[in-house]
Amino acid sequence: MDSVSVVIPIYNQAHLVARTIESLAANTRQPDEIIIVDDGSTDDVQEAIQSFQTNSPFTIRLLKVPHGGPGRAREAGWKAAQGTIVAFTDADAVPARDWLEQGLKGFTDPQVGGVEGAVESGGNATIFTHQVHNRFGRQFMTANMFYRRSVIEAVGGFKSPYREDSDLAFSVLGAGYRIVFVRDAVVFHPPRQETWWFYFSKAHRKRYEGFLFRNHPDIAPQYIPRFQPTELFIVLGELLSLLSLWLGLWSLSVGLLSLLIGLPKRLADWLDGRKYNARDYLTAWILTLFLVPVEFYYHWLGILKPPPIPKELRKSTVKLESH
């Protein structure tokens, strides 16, 4: 039977991690160890987990690393893991009671290098609620991923501090392994309230999409669109509308038409499953006009000039032809 290490990166979420540990302790198949990687938190993670370390039937280890993003934290976690299977989740996530049992069922043969589970959210979401879903696979969210430790090691582990979930998955797929989706391996990711600034503060991470295209030129285009039509229409519409001050009515007309094509799709994606009123709709509309150009800029900056691999994550990779 495979041994399982659960790796949980944490950054300023000491008040939430107890819920995650409790759900793992209640699993039908308990982990052999939990490795919590403190990514330079300013709150007291040690105090939050101390009672669990004393009373838990399995090992709970705390690693502390300088703040460098979830990719670096997960990298430190899997390297310290002793299990043959490494399961990743988040400090604010709640694995279902049979999460580990169901996830392990996906490793049906040696060619399966990874297993992807479903991620569900819930609650009453507003326009500023951060929530994530993965109901059909192909997203590789590290809130719910299982990998053979030997496979992570073979492909060189995580190489990006952000978008690290896709980076590792693309490395595994590029090496010839399969990643299967197990719908019954469920992690609940409770929504949390944020402010408008949250969306702008995360926009720079779009640059790491360029990192994925550079490092995985054959795999990345199958999962991430290089050209994003909705955003392109919005940016083009804003640009032409502004240029109408010099170019005249035709530029304004084309610009407004372009916005009319792009904005409804982007707003529909944002507002899907959320409760909102007329004021919220107007707020989302205005923020979209400002946020999309920022994301567009970082996306194409990443395409044209991908961020370098941090020296802490540089390593050689191995392409496997047979298993």
Side-chain angles (χ1 to χ4, degrees):
M1 177 184 293
D2 285 310
S3 54
V4 183
S5 300
V6 177
V7 172
I8 305 172
I10 186 169
Y11 180 66
N12 291 341
Q13 291 181 321
H15 61 293
L16 295 173
V17 71
R19 182 179 59 184
T20 307
I21 298 173
E22 288 170 353
S23 67
L24 290 168
N27 252 239
T28 54
R29 198 290 191 199
Q30 290 187 340
D32 294 279
E33 64 173 352
I34 297 176
I35 300 173
I36 298 172
V37 187
D38 183 356
D39 184 27
S41 299
T42 56
D43 55 8
D44 197 341
V45 178
Q46 178 64 67
E47 182 179 358
I49 70 170
Q50 191 165 8
S51 63
F52 293 102
Q53 289 180 307
T54 303
N55 301 315
S56 174
F58 44 79
T59 301
I60 299 178
R61 289 191 281 161
L62 176 64
L63 304 181
K64 294 189 176 185
V65 297
H67 181 56
R72 295 187 191 184
R74 296 186 200 278
E75 176 74 3
W78 81 259
K79 283 185 171 180
Q82 298 179 2
T84 56
I85 301 294
V86 181
F88 294 99
T89 191
D90 293 339
D92 59 344
V94 182
R97 194 168 182 271
D98 60 348
W99 175 56
L100 290 175
E101 179 183 348
Q102 295 294 337
L104 291 174
K105 290 180 180 179
F107 292 98
T108 54
D109 64 68
Q111 285 191 319
V112 176
V115 171
E116 177 182 16
V119 178
E120 294 286 357
S121 190
N124 297 320
T126 70
I127 62 169
F128 293 130
T129 299
H130 175 64
Q131 59 180 356
V132 293
H133 301 281
N134 183 13
R135 294 171 179 150
F136 306 105
R138 293 175 59 87
Q139 296 188 52
F140 314 119
M141 294 180 180
T142 35
N144 189 358
M145 287 295 301
F146 299 73
Y147 288 101
R148 298 187 192 276
R149 190 188 185 285
S150 59
V151 170
I152 302 177
E153 186 171 12
V155 302
F158 295 95
K159 307 175 194 68
S160 177
Y162 301 103
R163 292 306 302 264
E164 77 284 356
D165 44 8
S166 296
D167 170 54
L168 179 58
F170 293 170
S171 293
V172 171
L173 293 170
Y177 290 99
R178 292 188 292 120
I179 297 177
V180 300
F181 180 65
V182 177
R183 180 65 183 83
D184 292 332
V186 180
V187 162
F188 297 96
H189 209 289
R192 67 176 186 265
Q193 289 301 116
E194 299 288 353
T195 65
W196 63 270
W197 178 246
F198 168 80
Y199 297 95
F200 287 90
S201 66
K202 303 296 184 184
H204 74 280
R205 297 185 184 183
K206 296 283 286 185
R207 189 181 177 195
Y208 286 90
E209 292 179 356
F211 177 94
L212 296 174
F213 282 109
R214 181 190 65 191
N215 281 23
H216 313 282
D218 297 326
I219 304 294
Q222 301 177 37
Y223 296 91
I224 303 171
R226 190 186 300 269
F227 294 94
Q228 301 172 332
T230 299
E231 287 71 18
L232 182 60
F233 277 118
I234 293 173
V235 172
L236 180 63
E238 292 184 71
L239 181 61
L240 288 175
S241 297
L242 290 173
L243 290 176
S244 67
L245 295 172
W246 296 274
L247 299 180
L249 185 60
W250 75 267
S251 180
L252 179 62
S253 300
V254 176
L256 292 176
L257 177 61
S258 183
L259 286 171
L260 187 62
I261 295 173
L263 271 175
K265 175 64 167 64
R266 177 65 183 237
L267 286 172
D269 291 342
W270 187 349
L271 299 175
D272 181 40
R274 302 171 188 266
K275 291 185 176 181
Y276 60 92
N277 53 32
R279 181 181 177 181
D280 293 333
Y281 185 85
L282 179 61
T283 300
W285 191 87
I286 294 172
L287 285 177
T288 298
L289 290 177
F290 286 96
L291 180 61
V292 168
V294 176
E295 292 182 343
F296 187 84
Y297 165 77
Y298 279 113
H299 172 78
W300 280 101
L301 178 63
I303 295 290
L304 299 174
K305 189 179 179 181
I309 301 175
K311 67 178 183 179
E312 298 89 343
L313 299 179
R314 290 175 191 163
K315 52 183 72 69
S316 59
T317 60
V318 179
K319 184 173 179 62
L320 305 180
E321 302 296 339
S322 59
H323 314 290

